């Protein structure tokens, strides 16, 4: 009797994968009591789908960078560059520069041919970034390029890669630093995009497809060159991930760094504006906490600080200490904005200023990315009009709760219900999927059409309108290439019943064509986006 009671208790409390209780307490003739180790079933370790897919994303990002860099080397070897001025590097204007004389330096380089090959790959805007890292801001037009990438290049070239200076030369080390920074940063962008996609879409497969599409995006050449797109994408996508994860302080810091990388980083403040707008609605109409508006305003101000500080830095260097007659026109403006003046004066950027017949080829070059953007926005607005046109205010409560970081639930809920919702939200943020209450299962399966995508759609729409009406339109390919909704929508249509396979071919053909075309033209100093 005692033995039977012990057996029943042991069977309930000790899982069989830890120890074969039944084999010990009731050994059968076929079981050898002296060989029980063979009967023990060790626990099976299972790799989570998220970890496995994240590894796939990392491998895809690395492979894509290797492919792009290989194409650059191939085209540079087979073809002659259109502009051969890339290796030209005059001495810095500043007498206080710590950089050695260029001519003397080149005489003592151990591998001049390797250094020359690296320097010849510094083309287009890369010339400005490397020059700023080497000599600082020497000319007015150089202030169009924000300082985060040059600072990183300068830091890496003076520390980790400093021993290579006698081998390939100072400027080659600066260029190599830029390539290393951007290609490594790209891998982190892909990982953050995957994590963000899992949280937003709540679909691991869709997140994986979107992330791999980003790894082979049409603007890939710029993410492997010395351009600021990579760092901007890292801090924009990473900041959005931290925001959706509830880490507001980290999100503010990352968004601020995106504004230190590119001017359009200040647009990331729009996410906090959207969040504050909905929280203000609760504060005013539902009589909840009113200080959320102040908190949202402070977060936006912090994101604007790098942009404003850089404009002040330019004003101090260019305008102060000069007579009014010798000042640049923007110095005497009521609101002296250096960046706007440079874009208008040196590059002809302005509203509808690019709408010329001779620019039609550039509009055609940008048409694929703009068409995909327009389609993604229209498709969302058509299928979710109550969410899109009301800016989320008329979204169902369960949709708002699935994106609770951006939205606030209307109405009064009991404490138990609020606790239940909070636990569900935490699980969603952690895994991307969760054991949601029944009323939230529908919103969790909506993927691209979920309410959480709305702020990203609005952000994408504003940037696309700016690219089309104000900027040099061909820049739209790289200007919009970091935007997550593009890859979420492409992933979404690739699984559409009936037409998904066809759209998959089109999307991949577009990406492959622009990767080949971009690596061919851009690396040889021919005009691309």
């Amino acid at each position: 009797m005692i033995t039977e009671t012990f057996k029943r208790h042991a069977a309930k409390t000790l899982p069989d994968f830890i120890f074969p209780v039944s084999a010990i307490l009731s050994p059968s003739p076929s079981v050898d009591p002296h060989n029980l180790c063979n009967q023990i079933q060790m626990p099976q370790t299972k790799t989570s789908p998220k970890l496995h897919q994240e590894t796939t994303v990392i491998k895809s990002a690395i492979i894509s960078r290797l492919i792009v860099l290989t194409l650059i080397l191939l085209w540079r070897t087979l073809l002659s560059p259109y502009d051969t001025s890339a290796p030209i590097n005059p001495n810095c204007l500043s007498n206080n520069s710590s950089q050695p004389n260029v001519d003397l330096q080149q005489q003592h380089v151990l591998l001049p041919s390797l250094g020359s090959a690296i320097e010849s790959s510094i083309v287009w805007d890369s010339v400005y970034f490397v020059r700023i890292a080497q000599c600082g801001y020497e000319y007015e037009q150089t202030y169009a390029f924000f300082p985060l990438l040059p600072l990183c290049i300068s830091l890496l070239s003076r520390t980790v890669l400093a021993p290579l200076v006698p081998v390939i030369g100072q400027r080659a080390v600066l260029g190599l630093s830029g390539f290393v920074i951007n290609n490594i940063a790209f891998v982190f962008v892909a990982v953050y995009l995957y994590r963000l996609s899992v949280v937003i879409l709540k679909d691991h497969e869709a997140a994986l497809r979107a992330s791999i599409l980003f790894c082979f995006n049409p603007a890939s050449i710029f993410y492997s060159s010395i351009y600021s797109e990579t760092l901007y994408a890292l801090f924009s996508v990473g900041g959005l991930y931290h925001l959706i994860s509830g880490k507001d302080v980290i999100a503010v810091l990352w968004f601020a760094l995106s504004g230190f990388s590119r001017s359009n980083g200040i647009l990331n403040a729009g996410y906090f504006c959207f969040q504050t707008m909905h929280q203000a609605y609760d504060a005013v109409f539902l009589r909840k906490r009113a200080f959320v508006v102040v908190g949202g305003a402070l977060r936006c101000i912090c994101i604007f600080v790098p942009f404003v500080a850089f404009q002040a830095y330019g004003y101090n260097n260019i305008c102060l200490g000069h007579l009014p007659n010798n000042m640049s026109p923007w110095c005497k403006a009521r609101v002296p904005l250096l960046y706007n003046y440079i874009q208008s004066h040196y590059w002809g950027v302005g509203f509808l200023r690019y709408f010329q017949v001779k620019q039609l080829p550039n509009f055609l070059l940008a048409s694929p990315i703009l068409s995909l953007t327009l389609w993604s926005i229209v498709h969302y607005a058509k299928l979710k009009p109550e969410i899109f046109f009301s800016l989320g205010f008329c979204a169902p409560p369960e949709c708002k709760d699935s994106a609770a970081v951006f939205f606030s639930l209307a109405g009064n809920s009991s404490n138990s219900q609020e606790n239940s919702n909070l636990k569900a939200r935490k699980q969603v943020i952690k895994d991307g999927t969760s054991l949601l209450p029944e009323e939230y299962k529908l919103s969790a399966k909506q993927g691209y059409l979920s309410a959480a995508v709305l702020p990203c759609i609005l952000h994408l729409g504003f940037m696309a309108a700016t690219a089309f009406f104000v900027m040099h339109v061909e820049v739209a390919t790289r200007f919009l290439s970091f935007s997550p909704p593009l890859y979420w929508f492409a992933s979404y249509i690739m699984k559409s019943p009936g037409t998904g396979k066809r759209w998959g071919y089109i999307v991949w053909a577009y990406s492959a064509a622009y990767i080949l075309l971009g690596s061919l033209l851009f690396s040889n100093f021919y005009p691309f986006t």
Side-chain angles (χ1 to χ4, degrees):
M1 182 67 179
I2 295 175
T3 303
E4 291 298 325
T5 303
F6 175 72
K7 289 164 60 178
R8 287 195 299 269
H9 177 72
K12 291 180 180 178
T13 56
L14 298 176
D16 281 345
F17 68 81
I18 297 178
F19 206 78
V21 178
S22 59
I24 297 175
L25 298 180
S26 301
S28 63
S30 60
V31 177
D32 183 2
H34 300 288
N35 195 26
L36 286 175
C37 290
N38 295 332
Q39 308 299 321
I40 297 175
Q41 301 177 13
M42 298 304 294
Q44 298 294 323
T45 58
K46 295 183 179 180
T47 304
S48 66
K50 182 178 179 180
L51 181 60
H52 175 71
Q53 292 181 345
E54 195 168 289
T55 303
T56 302
V57 170
I58 293 174
K59 291 179 180 179
S60 299
I62 294 174
I63 291 172
S64 69
R65 294 313 91 196
L66 292 176
I67 290 175
V68 172
L69 292 174
T70 301
L71 287 172
I72 292 175
L73 293 174
L74 177 64
W75 297 134
R76 291 287 302 184
T77 303
L78 297 179
L79 302 174
S80 299
Y82 173 75
D83 190 333
T84 58
S85 62
I88 297 177
N89 184 39
N91 291 320
C92 297
L93 297 180
S94 174
N95 294 327
N96 298 324
S97 174
S98 60
Q99 304 296 335
N101 183 277
V102 174
D103 295 330
L104 293 177
Q105 185 191 65
Q106 292 297 332
Q107 294 175 5
H108 299 88
V109 171
L110 297 179
L111 299 175
S113 58
L114 178 59
S116 176
I118 295 176
E119 289 190 47
S120 64
S121 65
I122 303 174
V123 296
W124 294 106
D125 290 353
S126 303
V127 175
Y128 288 98
F129 286 113
V130 171
R131 183 71 180 183
I132 293 168
Q134 182 178 10
C135 304
Y137 288 90
E138 299 177 300
Y139 304 99
E140 186 177 62
Q141 61 266 36
T142 60
Y143 286 86
F145 304 93
F146 278 54
L148 182 59
L149 179 57
L151 284 174
C152 292
I153 291 175
S154 179
L155 178 62
L156 186 62
S157 67
R158 293 170 184 265
T159 54
V160 178
L161 300 183
L164 294 179
V165 173
V167 180
I168 58 177
Q170 176 65 30
R171 189 167 184 260
V173 169
L174 290 169
L176 181 62
S177 300
F179 284 112
V180 170
I181 290 168
N182 281 345
N183 283 277
I184 292 177
F186 181 86
V187 178
F188 287 95
V189 180
V191 172
Y192 268 113
L193 177 61
Y194 172 74
R195 294 178 179 178
L196 175 66
S197 302
V198 168
V199 176
I200 294 287
L201 305 178
K202 301 177 179 62
D203 183 342
H204 289 277
E205 295 299 326
L208 179 62
R209 289 195 304 272
S211 302
I212 294 178
L213 283 170
F214 171 76
C215 291
F216 298 91
N217 73 77
S220 284
I221 181 64
F222 298 101
Y223 288 92
S224 286
S225 301
I226 310 173
Y227 268 57
S228 57
E229 269 72 14
T230 311
L231 289 181
Y232 169 74
L234 174 61
F235 292 114
S236 296
V237 177
L240 185 55
Y241 170 74
H242 289 301
L243 173 59
I244 204 72
S245 300
K247 302 173 184 177
D248 287 356
V249 176
I250 299 178
V252 169
L253 175 62
W254 283 59
F255 284 153
L257 288 173
S258 74
F260 205 42
S261 178
R262 289 183 63 87
S263 61
N264 47 304
I266 61 176
L267 296 180
N268 288 321
Y271 292 115
F272 281 108
C273 291
F274 184 90
Q275 179 190 61
T276 304
M277 177 178 66
H278 283 269
Q279 292 177 347
Y281 172 83
D282 283 355
V284 173
F285 293 100
L286 303 180
R287 298 181 182 181
K288 292 186 178 181
R289 298 171 297 176
F291 66 83
V292 294
V293 179
V294 178
L298 290 175
R299 294 185 187 102
C300 292
I301 290 173
C302 290
I303 295 173
F304 274 83
V305 164
F307 178 85
V308 175
F310 186 59
Q311 300 307 297
Y313 173 75
Y315 183 86
N316 179 72
N317 290 346
I318 297 175
C319 300
L320 295 185
H322 296 277
L323 296 174
N325 293 336
N326 296 329
M327 285 185 180
S328 186
W330 71 272
C331 293
K332 295 176 281 187
R334 179 173 299 179
V335 181
L337 278 179
L338 171 58
Y339 184 78
N340 286 1
Y341 172 79
I342 292 174
Q343 291 292 336
S344 176
H345 181 73
Y346 291 99
W347 278 278
V349 173
F351 183 67
L352 299 182
R353 290 178 65 175
Y354 215 59
F355 279 63
Q356 305 173 28
V357 175
K358 64 180 181 179
Q359 301 299 346
L360 279 178
N362 290 323
F363 277 89
L364 292 175
L365 189 64
S367 60
I369 194 73
L370 292 174
S371 299
L372 182 63
T373 299
L374 180 62
W375 186 19
S376 66
I377 297 173
V378 171
H379 185 82
Y380 188 93
K382 183 178 179 180
L383 295 185
K384 293 293 177 181
E386 73 285 356
I387 296 177
F388 182 83
F389 292 106
S390 69
L391 298 181
F393 284 104
C394 295
E398 61 272 15
C399 293
K400 290 185 176 182
D401 195 62
S402 66
V405 171
F406 289 123
F407 301 97
S408 297
L409 280 174
N412 296 320
S413 301
S414 63
N415 290 335
S416 61
Q417 181 65 31
E418 290 179 353
N419 292 335
S420 175
N421 294 341
L422 179 61
K423 291 179 181 179
R425 289 195 296 270
K426 286 183 177 180
Q427 186 67 20
V428 168
I429 291 174
K430 181 179 180 181
D431 298 327
T433 56
S434 64
L435 298 176
L436 291 170
E438 192 66 30
E439 62 269 24
Y440 301 116
K441 287 184 179 179
L442 180 61
S443 62
K445 295 179 180 179
Q446 290 180 344
Y448 176 76
L449 299 176
S450 68
V453 178
L454 177 62
C456 305
I457 288 286
L458 298 175
H459 184 273
L460 172 62
F462 185 86
M463 291 189 63
T466 303
F468 184 75
F469 291 108
V470 179
M471 299 171 57
H472 292 185
V473 71
E474 69 271 14
V475 179
T477 301
R478 59 184 172 95
F479 186 66
L480 303 176
S481 61
F482 84 98
S483 189
L486 288 176
Y487 306 102
W488 295 340
F489 181 68
S491 173
Y492 169 78
I493 61 174
M494 286 171 66
K495 282 297 180 179
S496 300
T499 60
K501 191 173 182 179
R502 182 183 64 184
W503 286 118
Y505 284 132
I506 293 175
V507 170
W508 280 113
Y510 164 50
S511 296
Y514 271 59
I515 289 174
L516 291 173
L517 186 64
S519 60
L520 169 63
L521 297 178
F522 178 85
S523 61
N524 285 291
F525 233 131
Y526 287 89
F528 190 54
T529 67

